[in-house]
Amino acid sequence: MAAAQRLSVVDEIFLRTHRGLGTPIALQGLWRTADRVDPELLRQVHAALRVGPLGRRVIRPSVPGARRGWRANTRAYRLEFTDGTIATRDLLEWADGQGANLDPEYGPGWRLSTADLDDGGSIVSLTCSHALADGRALVLAVDDALGGPSLTTSSVPAMRSPDTGSGMNSAPSTIGAMSTKSTGPDEKSDTDRPADEFAYPTRPGRSDAGGSMTMSRPASTSTTWEPNRSAARANASLGRGTRAAASDWSDARRQWSIVVRGTFRALRRGIPERPAQTASARGHRVSTRRRGSVAGRVGAASAPALSVVLQCPEADWESAAAARGGTANSLFIALIAKMLWASGFPGETIDASLPVDTRDEPRVDNDLAMTEITIGRTDTPAAIREKARIAYERRMSSPGGMPEELLQVMPDRWAYALSRGAGERDILCSNIGTLPDSLRTLGPHRCTGVAARAIHPGLTADLLPRTRLSGYLCRIADTYTLAVVSLDPAHIETSETLRTLANESATSVGIPITLW
C-alpha cells in the first residue's frame, strides 16, 4: 500500500477507542430542516456516502511493525428512519443515540439517520468514527456526497479493493445507478447478498458480521438527483494506489528505521522527562480516584455526555468580539472558559486545547495537530487572541523528541498507556470554520440549522477524560453555530443546567443566542 493508504498515528489513537482504550468518540453532523425531508432524497445521499471517501475500513498488516491500512468498503448500515415524531427539545438526546456500534475495522464506521420533529421539520444526522475523519473531513465528505466541489480526485484516499486488492471496478459512478429500494429492519431486499459473501471480518466475541446492514447491486434506477462523482474519483485513485502499492515488508522497514533512528537521537539528548502537569490536571486525577474509578474495570457506571447547541447571527458575534478587542475565534474560546468557571470549576486558570487543521488540500482524514493555551480569570478575548496567535505557531509533540511512530510498532495497550491523555486539557475549543454553501439545503429542503460536534457513545465513569467542556464552532451563511458537550457530571448534572450555563455565559459577553 502507498503511504496515503496507511493509518496515521492520530488515526490509530482514535481506532483504539473502539477497543475500550480511551474515551469513546464519534463525530456528528446535524441538519435541521424547515419541512419534512423526502426519504428518497436521503436514500440517494446515503448511496453517495457509501461509495465516497467514508466508504473504507481498516485492515491489519501481515508484518509486525507495518502500519494498518485502509480498504475500500461499500457496506454500510442502512438508512435509519425513526418512527413517529420526536419533540424538538429531545432532538439532541435522539442524536446522541446515533453513535452506537460504529467501528471502522469490524463494522461500518458511519451511519445516516433521520427523524421527524414536532415543529414540522426534520433532523438528519451523519455520525462517523473519528478514526475515519476529523471535523473538517466530515464536512468535506458531506459536501462531496451532495455534489459539491470540495474534493479533487487526488484528495480521495487510495485504498485496496474489498476483495482482491485491485481497483474497486464494480462501484457505480452516479447516485442514479444505485438501487433506492427501501428495506425495513426485518425485511430483505431481493438484491441483497448473504452476509457471508462479504469480505468483512467478524469482531472477536460477535456472532454476527453485520446485523441489519445491506448492500444493493447497481440498478438502472433513474432519479432527478444531481449525479455524484465520488465513485468515479475513487476508481481513478484506486487504480493509481494499486500501481504504486508498497508491501507491508517495505512499510515495516520504513517504520522501524524511523523509530530506531529517532529514539537513538532522542536518547542522545538524555532520557525524556515526564511532562509537568498543571494543578488542574492533578486535581482531575485526584477527583477521579475519589469516584473510585479504575480504567478498564468491568461494570463501570454510565456517564452520558450532555449537549447544547446554540445559534447566533454572524454580525452580532463579530460585533461582540470586536467590542472586546478579539476575534470570532478568541470570543469562542473565552465563552467556553467562562462556562466552565460558571459551572463551579475551582482553578484560577484553565488549560485549553486547540485543534489545528494541517491540510494543504481538501482531504477526508484526520489531518490535525493540537496546541494549547492557559487562560486566566481576567483574560479578555483580546488577551486570548494574542495567546492563541502564539500557540498556533507551535504544536504539541511527543515527550523528549521521541518519534511518534513508536506508538505504531508496539502493542495497542502499550501504545495507549504511553499516549493516554495526549491533547486533553480542561476545555477543548474546535473551530471547524466556514461550511460549504452546499450544506445550507438538502435538495429542495431549506436547513434552519447546521451543527457539527463530537459525541461519546457508551461513555462510562472510568473513561471520563480530563476535558470537562468541549466546544465546536462553525459558520454557515450568516449564522454561527456552537455545539457544547459537557463531560463533567459532577458539576453539570442535567441538560437544563448546561442550557442555563450557555445562555447566561453568552449573555455576559454580549452574544444573543437561540438554543436548539
Side-chain angles (χ1 to χ4, degrees), residues 25-31 54 80 90-100 102 109-114 123-130 133-139 142 305 307-309 432 435 439 450-457 472-474 481 483-485 516:
I25 184 169
L27 297 181
Q28 186 175 66
L30 296 172
W31 291 260
L54 293 181
E80 294 191 7
D90 297 329
L91 73 86
L92 291 178
E93 182 180 352
W94 170 87
D96 288 339
Q98 305 310 306
L102 297 179
W110 62 275
R111 175 183 288 111
L112 185 67
S113 47
T114 184
I123 179 74
V124 177
S125 162
L126 174 62
T127 312
C128 82
S129 163
H130 208 326
D134 59 23
R136 192 66 197 174
L138 184 63
V139 171
V142 174
S307 298
V308 65
V309 175
I432 297 170
L435 306 184
L439 275 63
V450 180
R453 61 176 188 155
I455 61 174
H456 303 276
Y472 305 90
L473 181 70
C474 63
T481 303
V484 182
V485 179
W516 278 24

Side-chain angles (χ1 to χ4, degrees), residues 364-399:
V364 178
D365 56 9
N366 282 295
D367 212 331
L368 56 86
M370 299 293 286
T371 189
E372 64 178 320
I373 61 173
T374 298
I375 305 167
R377 286 184 182 266
T378 60
D379 281 351
T380 64
I384 293 174
R385 176 185 186 179
E386 181 61 20
K387 289 182 177 182
R389 183 190 65 79
I390 296 171
Y392 287 135
E393 297 175 358
R394 65 179 190 273
R395 303 288 188 269
M396 294 183 189
S397 60
S398 53

Side-chain angles (χ1 to χ4, degrees), residues 214-231:
T214 66
M215 184 177 82
S216 302
R217 292 191 179 95
S220 57
T221 306
S222 61
T223 75
T224 58
W225 184 250
E226 186 71 20
N228 176 268
R229 298 176 294 278
S230 293

Side-chain angles (χ1 to χ4, degrees), residues 235-498:
N235 279 334
S237 62
L238 288 172
R240 288 196 303 272
T242 301
R243 290 192 297 271
S247 70
D248 284 348
W249 282 107
S250 175
D251 191 69
R253 285 194 296 269
R254 173 189 176 277
Q255 287 289 97
W256 283 113
S257 175
I258 292 173
V259 168
V260 171
R261 293 179 182 179
T263 302
F264 179 73
R265 285 194 298 268
L267 292 178
R268 286 182 63 184
R269 296 190 289 268
I271 298 176
E273 295 182 0
R274 189 179 187 86
Q277 290 186 314
T278 63
S280 59
R282 291 191 296 272
H284 172 73
R285 188 175 67 249
V286 171
S287 65
T288 299
R289 285 202 300 265
R290 285 174 181 168
R291 288 198 301 267
S293 61
V294 179
R297 70 179 171 89
V298 177
S302 175
L306 303 174
S307 298
V308 65
V309 175
L310 56 91
Q311 293 182 183
C312 174
E314 175 196 7
D316 292 330
W317 190 290
E318 298 281 358
S319 176
R324 291 160 176 77
T327 62
N329 186 57
S330 66
L331 182 62
F332 158 50
I333 299 169
L335 176 58
I336 299 300
K338 185 175 286 290
M339 287 181 63
L340 183 59
W341 270 311
S343 73
F345 182 75
E348 289 302 311
T349 61
I350 287 175
D351 296 331
S353 61
L354 311 176
V356 182
D357 187 349
T358 55
R359 289 173 178 79
D360 52 12
E361 65 174 352
R363 286 188 298 270
V364 178
D365 56 9
N366 282 295
D367 212 331
L368 56 86
M370 299 293 286
T371 189
E372 64 178 320
I373 61 173
T374 298
I375 305 167
R377 286 184 182 266
T378 60
D379 281 351
T380 64
I384 293 174
R385 176 185 186 179
E386 181 61 20
K387 289 182 177 182
R389 183 190 65 79
I390 296 171
Y392 287 135
E393 297 175 358
R394 65 179 190 273
R395 303 288 188 269
M396 294 183 189
S397 60
S398 53
M402 297 291 284
E404 62 179 14
E405 289 83 1
L406 181 65
L407 298 176
Q408 294 182 293
V409 299
M410 60 175 53
D412 283 346
R413 290 192 177 276
W414 294 7
Y416 167 64
L418 285 178
S419 62
R420 184 179 183 183
E424 292 179 3
R425 299 297 183 265
D426 301 315
I427 59 175
L428 169 72
C429 299
S430 177
N431 191 339
I432 297 170
T434 302
L435 306 184
D437 286 342
S438 64
L439 275 63
R440 297 172 63 179
T441 60
L442 285 174
H445 308 284
R446 179 178 63 88
C447 292
T448 60
V450 180
R453 61 176 188 155
I455 61 174
H456 303 276
L459 181 63
T460 54
D462 61 313
L463 293 176
L464 280 170
R466 173 184 168 185
T467 306
R468 298 168 185 258
L469 276 182
S470 299
Y472 305 90
L473 181 70
C474 63
R475 194 190 79 183
I476 186 165
D478 57 357
T479 300
Y480 276 105
T481 303
L482 172 60
V484 182
V485 179
S486 170
L487 296 164
D488 190 8
H491 294 93
I492 303 176
E493 298 179 352
T494 66
S495 296
E496 190 57 38
T497 301
L498 184 60

